Amino acid sequence: MAIDPILEDPALGDSLLLDLVDGEGIVEDKERKLQQYQESRERKFDLLHTSLELKFDYDSQIVNGSAVLLLKPYFFEQNILELDAKDYEIHEVWQMEGEEHKPLDIQYNQQVLSVQLPRVYTANDTLEIGIRYTARPNENSGMGSSAILDNKGLYFINPEKAEGKPVQIWTQGETEHNSKWYPTIDSPNERATHDIRLTVEEKYITISNGKLASQQLNADGTRTDHWEMDQPHAPYLTAIVVGEFASVQDSLGDLPLRYLVEKQYEKGAKEVFKNTPEMISFFSDLLGVDFPWTKYDQVVVRDFVSGAMENTTISIFMEGLNLDEREAIDSEWDYIIAHELFHQWFGNYVTLESWSNLPLNEAFADYSEYLWTEYKEGKDKADMQHIVALEGYLAEAQEKQEDLIRFYYEDKEDMFDRHSYAKGGRILHMLRRYLGDEAFFASLQHYLERHAYSSVEVHDLRLAFEKVTGKDLNWFFNQWFLSSGHPVLDIQFDYSQPENVLLTISQKQDLNNTPLYQIPFKVSWYKGEERRETYFVLNQAVQQFALENGSGTDLVLFDESLEILTEKHTRHGRQYFEKQAVMSQAGIARYEALDSLSNNYPFDKYMADLFFEALNDDFSSIRELALAKTRTHLDSLTLSEEEEERVLAMAEGDPDNKVRAEAIELLDKIGKDKYAPLFNRLVNDSSYYVAGAALSAYLGNENNSGRENLVNRFLKENNIQLLVPLADYMTNVKDPDRGEWFHSRLESLSGESLYYFIGYYGDYFARLSEIDHGPAIENLYGLAKSHQANYIRLAAFQALFGFIDEDGVLDKVKELNAEEGDSMVRDYQGFFLESYIDED
Ligand SMILES: [Zn+2]
């Protein structure tokens, strides 16, 4: 699964994560830990096949189901069958003996259905058990009256069928939520085939795992779709979607591909998902294992509970991927498309044995984002993603440090953190660099082939690498997968012998909780045009390495491409970074140097020239950084005519639209009036990034004529890049007549756009004291109370603080906090509340 990108934002998370409880005795600590040991589920039965028939009651939001399960005892004899079946009404349980239905005695505690079998069964027997039931996914899905937890398994979207929002049903099984809508052995070390008959209104289409075997019209005007999944997979990967969708057909050889979105996003979907065939063939070639399933559907739904989910043959995405044709020009969703796709191998074909092994799914999916970007957009871009992920992990590591493979945790949902994703992906990157591409991917091929359709723990991965490469890798797996923390390295160069530069590395991490690491690493050095590289292995607390470089060097770099998962402390001065910024062949090292320089040294003429030179860099992130830093320091600079011309050319035609937007912001600061005609023209650019930056620049200058006209022209727009400058303008000029516009946009936006807009919405009303705040407060309260997405509830909660001194708002906010069912949101809310009360 892809974690929701907003709550992943380090800026939001850093200060708020709770400190770990500490200070208890070592025995109590170990006892508590032992009680938290998370064993893999014992396999008493092997589920072979499930046949499901489902009908949906939208009014009561229930599922009427009938399930027939084919099972056999796994090894030991059994006379009781326990199935996960959460919050059902059980109508009937029977055993099929030939054509005969024999009713069976059951015990049911609303979570586990215990079926008393008529005799003892051995591993040589198979048995067929039928269950007729009503599933109530909303039951016990929240703590308070209105709060929602993401454990419903099956979600009715707009079940009252109100205007303006699509009516959908979709499911989310990970971790163990599919047993909210069908009885099963809801454990990742189980895998079975299934077939599902879905009876729906004729206007809806259905999507599920495997292939659509048949469709049948019923006398009552409904239709029954029969989906067959004939390759076994884990229960958490079963999925269904029901709704009205446009279906864009695509293919890769014989493999059918579909992109399913709401009808108005059909053209956008062709663009957003267009790389799918190339991605599948890229990953298949890289892994030496073809895409393992018979079709691949990608569906975008409303109000999804995370970023996306990799159900086998049917990945479900959040509505952020609903883009119109113009928005799709700047689509940046390839990473999430790659992530879910890679899970079809790592997670679905080879599946984690228990949630403790979650990095075996998520580290690979995370690393696929690097692999795809490296292939499609080049190593520099991929390295940039790599560093952002590394920083995300390091930020989380300030709050908690866990073993990557964790056998002890309180809640399995806690496994879905930056350790499992970002740290895991960085570890795979190091392993790849250590072994080389050929060995790394050959080992993955062996791992996939050896464990196809079965479950794995981390040792299976190590053994696959050892088998293929002949190398012992216990040391690597022990320190990275089975320990917590990361190296903190202090790095010093001694240049006193120019022909033999000495490098001293000290490991500074807390050795009580963190290993002393063995780290293979590279040192590269430059002399004139020449670049050389040598390998060392660090395996002491303090260790010296002699470069034996022969002649003098201009620049020596430790781990030039930032491949090692480490917090690095160096004592390089300004000159060092200036050379690194110019000489390094690695884009990420040039970026690192420029970033360090601008953060730590005065932005003088020399620095300005350096940053100006960086506008010509091939790496777009460097061009973007150079423009942004030049803008920040513009007050102390004067640009030459030629330099200004260069910025203008970038605004007009840089190949990267984010760079163009950044250039527009710089021009705005250079000469608002002078460039007004340009901005007025670029508000019509096909890229929303460019148009939004131009609109912001034009509306931000009081001297510009026709600003009101321009605002009125864009009133119907729904793209957040344009809405932000409009909202800013209306708030700044304190136009009291724009309240209706704010209300209507709030109503029409969804997903991330809604998240960002809520802040502007609250700000407008809070700053206009003369208009009635009642409706705005009610709207925010409604979103904070009952929006399905936790980040929207949180944004609305936060926006209410703009009105906190008004009648009853503090009480409302306290009530929301008390009723919130999602513990992470509740903690964030508590933080805001405490800050307010402290201020008071
Ligand atoms: Zn994932």
Side-chain angles (χ1 to χ4, degrees):
M1 145 164 62
I3 295 185
D4 182 85
I6 292 169
L7 286 180
E8 266 285 85
D9 180 354
L12 195 63
D14 283 351
S15 53
L16 299 170
L17 287 166
L18 299 177
D19 286 332
L20 290 170
V21 184
D22 206 356
E24 288 178 37
I26 194 155
V27 174
E28 286 88 339
D29 211 42
K30 293 206 166 179
E31 278 181 345
R32 191 184 53 201
K33 211 177 165 193
L34 199 58
Q35 280 151 19
Q36 283 185 1
Y37 175 65
Q38 302 291 343
E39 60 185 10
S40 300
R41 177 94 69 104
E42 181 182 349
R43 302 199 58 193
K44 294 181 178 172
F45 277 88
D46 185 7
L47 179 62
L48 303 171
H49 185 84
T50 306
S51 287
L52 279 179
E53 287 178 27
L54 303 175
K55 287 179 184 166
F56 308 96
D57 181 338
Y58 286 80
D59 291 338
S60 353
Q61 300 185 45
I62 56 174
V63 182
N64 289 309
S66 168
V68 176
L69 283 67
L70 185 69
L71 320 99
K72 65 191 273 302
Y74 186 79
F75 184 84
F76 295 107
E77 295 177 340
Q78 306 290 344
N79 65 347
I80 291 176
L81 168 66
E82 289 183 339
L83 295 171
D84 297 293
K86 297 182 186 126
D87 304 309
Y88 298 175
E89 221 176 295
I90 304 280
H91 305 300
E92 200 185 351
V93 177
W94 67 91
Q95 184 173 14
M96 304 280 287
E97 294 258 27
E99 291 297 293
E100 215 181 325
H101 281 214
K102 287 191 176 166
L104 295 177
D105 287 341
I106 60 161
Q107 286 193 327
Y108 184 47
N109 65 6
Q110 294 296 313
Q111 296 297 301
V112 177
L113 173 66
S114 300
V115 182
Q116 182 66 56
L117 302 175
R119 63 175 172 89
V120 171
Y121 286 84
T122 76
N124 296 322
D125 297 316
T126 52
L127 58 161
E128 225 175 332
I129 302 293
I131 301 152
R132 201 163 60 74
Y133 63 98
T134 298
R136 299 167 299 180
N138 292 352
E139 194 92 346
N140 290 320
S141 60
M143 279 172 43
S145 55
S146 57
I148 300 154
L149 277 179
D150 301 337
N151 63 356
K152 293 184 183 184
L154 184 144
Y155 295 75
F156 287 91
I157 303 303
N158 190 19
E160 57 283 354
K161 303 183 178 173
E163 282 289 311
K165 187 171 183 179
V167 178
Q168 299 176 346
I169 293 171
W170 47 258
T171 58
Q172 166 58 31
E174 195 171 22
T175 49
E176 295 173 9
H177 307 314
N178 273 342
S179 46
K180 285 284 281 190
W181 57 278
Y182 77 93
T184 188
I185 298 172
D186 203 349
S187 176
N189 59 355
E190 179 57 72
R191 64 190 49 68
T193 54
H194 55 75
D195 68 285
I196 305 180
R197 285 180 172 80
L198 298 164
T199 299
V200 299
E201 276 180 61
E202 219 192 315
K203 65 178 172 184
Y204 296 132
I205 74 164
T206 70
I207 310 130
S208 185
N209 316 90
K211 54 182 181 289
L212 182 59
S214 68
Q215 293 190 296
Q216 184 193 318
L217 289 175
N218 304 315
D220 62 358
T222 62
R223 192 188 71 245
T224 301
D225 291 352
H226 185 197
W227 286 89
E228 281 181 351
M229 179 63 184
D230 55 13
Q231 291 167 280
H233 68 152
Y236 77 91
L237 296 166
T238 304
I240 57 171
V241 177
V242 180
E244 291 179 272
F245 295 96
S247 166
V248 178
Q249 316 276 337
D250 204 343
S251 65
L252 173 67
D254 296 341
L255 181 71
L257 307 171
R258 293 190 303 172
Y259 320 130
L260 298 119
V261 293
E262 290 167 39
K263 291 207 162 63
Q264 68 266 37
Y265 301 111
E266 182 171 356
K267 284 186 177 152
K270 281 184 189 162
E271 190 65 25
V272 172
F273 292 101
K274 70 174 178 202
N275 288 332
T276 305
E278 189 181 351
M279 239 183 237
I280 295 177
S281 73
F282 169 65
F283 287 148
S284 299
D285 291 347
L286 203 57
L287 297 169
V289 177
D290 281 346
F291 182 81
W293 314 99
T294 51
K295 64 108 163 127
Y296 190 50
D297 288 334
Q298 298 178 92
V299 193
V300 182
V301 301
R302 286 289 183 110
D303 299 343
F304 199 54
V305 284
S306 76
M309 178 65 205
E310 70 271 17
N311 316 288
T312 313
T313 79
I314 162 182
S315 285
I316 299 179
F317 295 87
M318 62 177 172
E319 63 208 79
L321 281 83
N322 270 333
L323 302 186
D324 65 33
E325 214 177 352
R326 186 173 160 200
E327 288 170 322
I329 293 172
D330 292 326
S331 172
E332 292 178 322
W333 292 124
D334 261 18
Y335 81 91
I336 203 170
I337 293 169
H339 180 114
E340 307 312 325
L341 175 61
F342 213 58
H343 272 310
Q344 302 295 323
W345 287 267
F346 293 91
N348 301 8
Y349 192 48
V350 170
T351 308
L352 43 73
E353 181 185 80
S354 68
W355 303 111
S356 298
N357 287 285
L358 185 68
L360 293 183
N361 282 12
E362 296 303 346
F364 282 102
D366 182 279
Y367 193 51
S368 73
E369 300 168 22
Y370 184 97
L371 294 171
W372 171 253
T373 306
E374 183 186 28
Y375 158 81
K376 190 70 180 169
E377 296 180 65
K379 183 172 181 301
D380 289 344
K381 277 270 186 195
D383 283 343
M384 196 71 199
Q385 287 180 343
H386 165 73
I387 291 309
V388 169
L390 173 61
E391 283 172 355
Y393 158 72
L394 289 175
E396 186 176 88
Q398 295 196 349
E399 308 296 337
K400 66 166 188 182
Q401 297 191 357
E402 306 276 358
D403 295 352
L404 200 66
I405 305 298
R406 260 167 277 176
F407 294 102
Y408 305 90
Y409 54 74
E410 249 178 273
D411 187 331
K412 50 189 172 301
E413 311 295 334
D414 297 346
M415 290 294 302
F416 293 81
D417 60 6
R418 289 185 213 152
H419 282 62
S420 293
Y421 288 72
K423 186 183 186 188
R426 310 300 52 82
I427 291 171
L428 293 175
H429 190 53
M430 283 187 292
L431 189 56
R432 175 181 168 204
R433 292 294 184 233
Y434 172 63
L435 295 171
D437 279 12
E438 205 180 328
F440 181 78
F441 292 112
S443 301
L444 293 187
Q445 179 178 6
H446 176 72
Y447 169 77
L448 289 167
E449 286 171 350
R450 168 81 181 74
H451 300 288
Y453 302 115
S454 56
S455 52
V456 282
E457 29 190 337
V458 69
H459 307 293
D460 295 314
L461 182 65
R462 173 178 54 80
L463 291 168
F465 276 103
E466 293 186 346
K467 167 105 180 148
V468 169
T469 65
K471 281 180 182 291
D472 174 80
L473 287 166
N474 270 306
W475 62 274
F476 185 93
F477 277 72
N478 286 347
Q479 67 186 15
W480 291 116
F481 284 97
L482 297 169
S483 305
S484 63
H486 55 266
V488 179
L489 302 182
D490 182 89
I491 291 155
Q492 291 187 57
F493 288 106
D494 175 354
Y495 299 96
S496 54
Q497 301 166 264
E499 75 290 351
N500 188 20
V501 176
L502 296 178
L503 164 64
T504 305
I505 305 181
S506 315
Q507 300 200 36
K508 298 283 194 186
Q509 63 275 17
D510 171 10
L511 294 178
N512 289 314
N513 305 309
T514 313
L516 188 67
Y517 288 87
Q518 175 172 330
I519 303 174
F521 65 95
K522 288 177 249 176
V523 176
S524 46
W525 68 94
Y526 291 83
K527 172 75 183 161
E529 293 291 290
E530 195 189 355
R531 177 184 184 277
R532 292 176 61 189
E533 191 172 71
T534 189
Y535 291 79
F536 297 102
V537 178
L538 173 72
N539 53 17
Q540 296 170 23
V542 180
Q543 204 168 347
Q544 197 166 63
F545 303 89
L547 222 58
E548 297 175 354
N549 44 302
S551 59
T553 62
D554 296 324
L555 175 69
V556 183
L557 291 161
F558 166 84
D559 185 31
E560 186 174 9
S561 287
L562 310 182
E563 287 163 5
I564 297 166
L565 199 173
T566 176
E567 229 175 293
K568 193 172 64 170
H569 300 294
T570 60
R571 281 158 221 189
H572 303 314
R574 173 171 172 165
Q575 277 192 330
Y576 181 93
F577 286 120
E578 285 170 356
K579 283 195 278 184
Q580 180 177 336
V582 175
M583 297 184 80
S584 175
Q585 288 172 13
I588 195 67
R590 296 196 301 278
Y591 186 96
E592 182 197 34
L594 287 166
D595 198 41
S596 288
L597 284 169
S598 64
N599 290 333
N600 298 311
Y601 299 98
F603 208 87
D604 55 19
K605 175 76 174 91
Y606 185 88
M607 188 92 89
D609 288 347
L610 190 67
F611 273 76
F612 225 88
E613 193 51 41
L615 294 184
N616 299 315
D617 204 290
D618 289 342
F619 184 14
S620 64
S621 302
I622 289 184
R623 296 198 301 279
E624 209 180 323
L625 178 76
L627 288 165
K629 295 294 179 184
T630 305
R631 178 164 54 87
T632 310
H633 297 285
L634 195 66
D635 293 341
S636 56
L637 305 173
T638 24
L639 298 189
S640 69
E641 212 170 293
E642 188 195 339
E643 287 169 341
E644 208 172 309
E645 282 292 317
R646 173 85 187 108
V647 179
L648 181 60
M650 290 173 87
E652 292 272 18
D654 192 277
D656 186 295
N657 286 329
K658 278 191 166 169
V659 173
R660 290 183 65 200
E662 197 63 63
I664 289 167
E665 286 189 51
L666 176 54
L667 290 176
D668 181 32
K669 199 160 173 188
I670 292 172
K672 282 185 180 312
D673 292 339
K674 184 174 163 191
Y675 290 111
L678 172 78
F679 302 147
N680 199 20
R681 174 160 58 81
L682 290 182
V683 298
N684 303 310
D685 196 86
S686 60
S687 161
Y688 278 114
Y689 281 129
V690 174
L695 187 61
S696 179
Y698 194 85
L699 293 179
N701 181 357
E702 287 174 17
N703 300 334
N704 287 340
S705 61
R707 290 194 298 165
E708 282 292 320
N709 285 343
L710 197 57
V711 167
N712 289 332
R713 222 183 89 201
F714 283 105
L715 283 182
K716 290 247 181 323
E717 284 288 347
N718 234 4
N719 182 278
I720 192 71
Q721 306 290 345
L722 298 178
L723 294 188
V724 165
L726 294 181
D728 248 345
Y729 171 82
M730 292 171 189
T731 307
N732 287 335
V733 301
K734 295 199 171 185
D735 182 346
D737 296 329
R738 299 297 189 178
E740 275 315 308
W741 179 81
F742 275 94
H743 291 316
S744 74
R745 292 307 91 181
L746 189 79
E747 208 171 304
S748 68
L749 291 172
S750 59
E752 280 188 292
S753 299
L754 175 59
Y755 172 84
Y756 289 114
F757 189 74
I758 284 171
Y760 291 93
Y761 177 87
D763 204 31
Y764 171 81
F765 288 101
R767 282 178 53 185
L768 273 90
S769 50
E770 67 272 33
I771 54 177
D772 179 14
H773 290 173
I777 292 172
E778 272 316 301
N779 285 338
L780 290 171
Y781 175 70
L783 289 171
K785 190 178 172 72
S786 48
H787 199 281
Q788 185 133 301
N790 57 5
Y791 61 91
I792 300 288
R793 295 203 297 282
L794 186 60
F797 180 91
Q798 213 175 333
L800 280 169
F801 278 78
F803 312 91
I804 197 77
D805 295 327
E806 299 183 24
D807 270 357
V809 175
L810 183 59
D811 289 340
K812 276 191 163 71
V813 162
K814 284 182 175 166
E815 171 211 308
L816 287 166
N817 183 231
E819 285 187 358
E820 175 60 44
D822 182 319
S823 62
M824 182 163 56
V825 175
R826 202 165 57 241
D827 290 347
Y828 285 143
Q829 290 177 339
F831 174 81
F832 292 127
L833 254 172
E834 264 170 45
S835 318
Y836 171 74
I837 291 163
D838 286 351
E839 270 172 37
D840 246 30

